[in-house]
Amino acid sequence: MSHQCKVGDLALIIGSITPGSPNVGKSVELIGLYSHGDALIAPDGTPATYSGDQPAWLCEGRGLLAKGMNDDWVDHGGITFAGERFLMPLLGDFAPERQKSQEVP
């Protein structure tokens, strides 16, 4: 399912391929979409390469943790990757149609 996310969008993490992810339910800002082999700069400033099998968004948000090399959760300054299917965009006007129709202009 594609939500047509774009850089700078706000989203809610609604799931993860990793059971028990502490990031589910957190709001994030989308920084960039990466595919296998794409180059990026790691949080410590060193060059890195995205190695995930599926494209994923680099997300930034308070309290985000990333999966570490030893399957532990690591704080890399509030950034992590999330697949688009696990993101719910926080855009637009969410007021129910009935409420909108009752508003006075």
Side-chain angles (χ1 to χ4, degrees), residues 14-84:
I14 58 171
S16 174
I17 59 171
T18 307
S21 170
N23 297 324
V24 174
K26 294 188 178 176
S27 61
V28 298
E29 180 179 350
L30 305 180
I31 305 301
L33 182 61
Y34 291 86
S35 295
H36 184 82
D38 285 348
L40 63 130
I41 302 298
D44 64 2
T46 60
T49 302
Y50 177 68
S51 61
D53 294 333
Q54 299 292 318
W57 282 93
L58 181 61
C59 304
E60 182 177 32
R62 174 179 266 170
L64 290 179
L65 299 175
K67 197 71 165 168
M69 298 287 268
N70 299 319
D71 284 337
D72 53 345
W73 293 99
V74 181
D75 181 359
H76 286 297
I79 64 168
T80 194
F81 282 99
E84 188 166 35

Side-chain angles (χ1 to χ4, degrees), residues 1-13:
M1 173 190 332
S2 176
H3 299 296
Q4 303 300 321
C5 294
K6 62 185 183 306
V7 172
D9 281 356
L10 299 178
L12 183 70
I13 297 178

